[in-house]
Amino acid sequence: MALNAQVSFLDGTLSLIHIPLSLYPTFLQPILKVLLPQSRGAPDLNLDGLTLDNSRHGFLNISVTPLECSIVCHSSWAKAVFEPVIRQLPRDAAKTVSISKDAYVVFSVISAGMDAGSRVADLTSPLALANIPIFFITTYYSDFILVPAKDRQAVEKTLLSRGFVFSEDNNNSSFTSPYSHSRGPSQSSSLNELPATPPPSSIPELQERTFENLKKRNVVPYIEPDLLLIQCSGREDKDTIGGYSERPSTFHHHHQNGHGNHNRHSSHGPCWADTVDTKLYTGLVSALVSQPRFLSITLAQEDPPSLLLDRNLLGIFGDSLVGPTTEGFSLVPIFLDLSSLPIEATGIVSGVAGTLVKELQPGVEVDDHGRRGSGQEELELSYLSTARAGAVILGEEVSVRAMEVLRGVLVREGR
């Protein structure tokens, strides 16, 4: 049965911010300010990037990992909230913080009954082959792909040339994939391979170039000891004023409705606190204040909040989370430090995921353009791009074998 992937561009332009962990305490207040834009009548509400009721961001990702703190937010928030803090830093410290010079746009990938990898397989392979740099973020409900704003037309042209149907919906660009897939890892790309001339003509060639480039830059995959992750979501309160819209046909993970106060009305209209789960956000603030070992938060205009977090943080969220939080299943991130590569580089996720599919699922047939044969066993794989790093995220058991595979293609002899 064919399963269609819907791809829609979200409104607004975004900036990508890198903050070294040593400066994280300095930037905690602006991080919380962006996460909690709740002060009605404050100048912040004049900034772009919020929904019409000023209750939440069109798109926001805050990720704290063992390598860095990375923020994806609307460009106006980067300028108004983060740039003043950078200007107050000593010159040497200010040089270690970066805000992307180019603006980005983001599109979401939604498909019922398919895991994160399969939903973006048809998208990311052609984008990688076209040398379009992207950042890829797996969330509990959707996947989000950031591309440079200047490449938006090239993205649309590339997808159309591969059979995607383009349509206009509420001023957002939408595509529908005609391809049928079984579930599998993404063939997506991220900040990782220097643009090549001519571009690679096939996925195997792309993978070869990717790993040669990483080896030249001494990028070595590694796992943080005793770091186990959970992917989950905040509870959805579909009846709350300004709350999240329910899209049950697109949810592919465990989902259950939230239980909140459905009558929180104000004579002045809904305020920020009327539209969120305060227990969830109290947990988020508590986790961020503690400078977590790993916490990634994604807010998008159509989805409930999505979290990828250190399992040890679960206790501070109480019953405000939805997902496999009480089960024995945990995820392991394999980190790639990409700080030596330019931000416009492309190809890593496609190369890494394609190699893992080939080696961990030897019976899976993948053509030169990254399309998997149907009816194959699933490999659960997701990915998180941050400003200067990437994390391949797998189950505990398969992560051991995945490390062996990646070290085999990335680590030079004698290391």
Side-chain angles (χ1 to χ4, degrees):
M1 180 178 66
L3 295 174
N4 291 335
Q6 182 179 348
V7 183
S8 301
F9 277 95
L10 278 61
D11 294 330
T13 57
L14 306 168
S15 294
L16 186 61
I17 305 170
H18 161 76
I19 300 170
L21 294 179
S22 60
L23 290 177
Y24 178 84
T26 302
F27 284 88
L28 178 59
Q29 183 174 355
I31 289 171
L32 294 177
K33 189 174 184 179
V34 172
L35 177 66
L36 312 173
Q38 74 273 35
S39 300
R40 297 190 64 81
D44 293 351
L45 294 182
N46 296 323
L47 294 175
D48 296 327
L50 295 179
T51 53
L52 292 178
D53 59 3
N54 294 320
S55 63
R56 59 190 183 276
H57 289 271
F59 185 84
L60 173 68
N61 176 266
I62 300 171
S63 294
V64 185
T65 74
L67 290 170
E68 64 176 331
C69 174
S70 175
I71 313 290
V72 180
C73 65
H74 197 280
S75 298
S76 63
W77 288 80
K79 183 177 181 63
V81 178
F82 289 96
E83 284 189 6
V85 180
I86 296 174
R87 287 195 293 267
Q88 294 175 5
L89 293 172
R91 180 176 300 180
D92 290 344
K95 291 179 179 179
T96 66
V97 183
S98 66
I99 299 178
S100 58
K101 294 181 180 179
D102 293 333
Y104 287 82
V105 291
V106 62
F107 60 89
S108 64
V109 183
I110 304 166
S111 183
M114 299 171 69
D115 69 283
S118 293
R119 290 206 315 273
V120 297
D122 282 332
L123 289 165
T124 53
S125 295
L127 295 178
L129 291 172
N131 277 329
I132 297 173
I134 75 171
F135 291 81
F136 179 52
I137 299 174
T138 301
T139 73
Y140 189 72
Y141 294 118
S142 307
D143 297 295
F144 296 94
I145 301 178
L146 281 73
V147 297
K150 61 182 175 61
D151 290 331
R152 175 169 173 160
Q153 290 186 347
V155 170
E156 295 177 355
K157 181 179 178 180
T158 299
L159 298 180
L160 285 170
S161 70
R162 288 292 299 274
F164 286 82
V165 179
F166 174 75
S167 64
E168 291 289 341
D169 181 21
N170 297 325
N171 296 321
N172 287 330
S173 301
S174 299
F175 299 86
T176 301
S177 168
Y179 297 119
S180 174
H181 289 279
S182 62
R183 294 166 58 187
S186 71
Q187 300 293 331
S188 56
S189 61
S190 180
L191 52 149
N192 308 35
E193 182 192 16
L194 289 175
T197 305
S201 59
S202 67
I203 290 296
E205 183 181 353
L206 174 66
Q207 293 171 356
E208 182 179 356
R209 292 188 186 187
T210 294
F211 289 116
E212 283 302 315
N213 187 39
L214 292 181
K215 283 194 287 188
K216 288 179 182 178
R217 296 171 183 270
N218 296 316
V219 175
V220 177
Y222 75 95
I223 292 176
E224 283 280 318
D226 303 320
L227 177 60
L228 298 177
L229 306 182
I230 295 294
Q231 191 163 56
C232 55
S233 167
R235 293 186 180 275
E236 179 188 35
D237 187 351
K238 63 182 179 182
D239 295 326
T240 297
I241 298 296
Y244 310 103
S245 62
E246 184 177 13
R247 300 179 299 169
S249 63
T250 66
F251 290 177
H252 63 284
H253 288 283
H254 300 290
H255 174 71
Q256 56 191 91
N257 292 328
H259 304 279
N261 184 350
H262 299 260
N263 298 299
R264 294 174 291 185
H265 293 263
S266 167
S267 59
H268 301 289
C271 69
W272 177 85
D274 291 326
T275 64
V276 299
D277 182 340
T278 54
K279 183 182 294 186
L280 170 68
Y281 276 76
T282 299
L284 289 175
V285 171
S286 178
L288 289 168
V289 168
S290 71
Q291 188 168 341
R293 193 177 179 193
F294 193 109
L295 174 63
S296 182
I297 311 156
T298 302
L299 306 179
Q301 58 195 32
E302 292 290 338
D303 290 351
S306 182
L307 287 75
L308 181 65
L309 73 161
D310 184 346
R311 176 177 274 279
N312 291 329
L313 294 174
L314 285 175
I316 67 175
F317 288 93
D319 62 355
S320 66
L321 300 179
V322 173
T325 57
T326 60
E327 302 172 8
F329 182 75
S330 298
L331 301 170
V332 174
I334 300 177
F335 293 103
L336 300 168
D337 185 345
L338 307 174
S339 57
S340 63
L341 284 97
I343 197 170
E344 67 272 12
T346 64
I348 275 294
V349 185
S350 181
V352 170
T355 298
L356 291 177
V357 171
K358 179 180 177 181
E359 297 298 328
L360 299 180
Q361 297 178 277
V364 173
E365 296 181 0
V366 181
D367 67 18
D368 285 352
H369 298 286
R371 292 191 292 262
R372 299 175 74 238
S374 60
Q376 301 290 350
E377 183 182 355
E378 301 167 6
L379 173 65
E380 297 291 342
L381 181 150
S382 58
Y383 196 88
L384 174 66
S385 293
T386 57
R388 295 190 178 182
V392 187
I393 302 161
L394 309 107
E396 285 186 81
E397 292 184 6
V398 74
S399 67
V400 177
R401 174 60 180 147
M403 269 295 293
E404 296 175 355
V405 171
L406 293 179
R407 288 188 63 85
V409 294
L410 284 175
V411 179
R412 296 179 180 274
E413 294 183 6
R415 292 194 59 176

